[in-house]
Amino acid sequence: MTYSRYIATIKTTGKDIWNDEKPSSYSPYLIQRGLFSDDASAMGILNAANQRVMDKELHYKFLLHSLPKNVKYAAQSKKKKDKYLSIVKNYFDYNDQKAKDAINILSLHELEQIETSFYKGGVKR
């Protein structure tokens, strides 16, 4: 069972599925991250669940019965992929962190010059 199924029951249905599935896949961190919301009442409940030491079942049931159902929650953020990161890494033979630092230092014109140096011609498909 994936944590998204736990999140779906906490957010929408309110049906307790703890005994239906294997609870070993339950991760309180991932559940709280998935339930992160801009709603002030939900933030207080998530903070309260985070401050107390609970076993996994108690954590699930606390969130299941505490959070309001059918509330819009914020989407999970994902890392942005920098357009020039792989180009700078290949050009200077840098790791990720050094390439990010170099991107912050280089001007847009210099980044475009580096990008054109990798252009090999041909038709893009």
Side-chain angles (χ1 to χ4, degrees):
M1 164 122 113
T2 62
Y3 76 96
S4 60
R5 185 141 178 238
Y6 286 114
I7 291 173
T9 59
I10 291 171
K11 281 185 187 179
T12 57
T13 63
K15 180 184 174 203
D16 187 359
I17 60 165
W18 186 260
N19 294 328
D20 297 344
E21 303 292 335
K22 289 184 179 180
S24 62
S25 65
Y26 185 85
S27 169
Y29 170 76
L30 291 176
I31 299 299
Q32 286 197 198
R33 184 174 174 221
L35 291 172
F36 176 74
S37 172
D38 295 326
D39 183 23
S41 64
M43 288 299 294
I45 293 168
L46 291 174
N47 191 27
N50 199 24
Q51 290 178 349
R52 288 159 180 76
V53 177
M54 304 180 203
D55 67 331
K56 293 179 179 183
E57 182 178 6
L58 184 60
H59 184 269
Y60 170 72
K61 292 190 178 186
F62 175 77
L63 292 177
L64 181 71
H65 298 295
S66 299
L67 288 172
K69 306 300 176 243
N70 297 324
V71 176
K72 294 261 182 184
Y73 291 92
Q76 292 182 15
S77 62
K78 294 185 178 180
K79 269 188 172 177
K80 291 183 180 177
K81 182 95 174 179
D82 193 358
K83 175 181 170 183
Y84 296 108
L85 185 65
S86 64
I87 295 168
V88 171
K89 281 174 58 176
N90 290 335
Y91 188 79
F92 293 110
D93 196 27
Y94 282 167
N95 61 18
D96 283 347
Q97 187 58 46
K98 282 187 178 181
K100 288 176 185 176
D101 293 341
I103 289 171
N104 291 334
I105 295 170
L106 295 171
S107 69
L108 184 61
H109 178 69
E110 291 170 327
L111 290 170
E112 289 173 351
Q113 283 181 334
I114 293 171
E115 183 181 24
T116 56
S117 71
F118 281 105
Y119 182 66
K120 295 184 176 127
V123 179
K124 290 185 179 181
R125 294 184 185 193

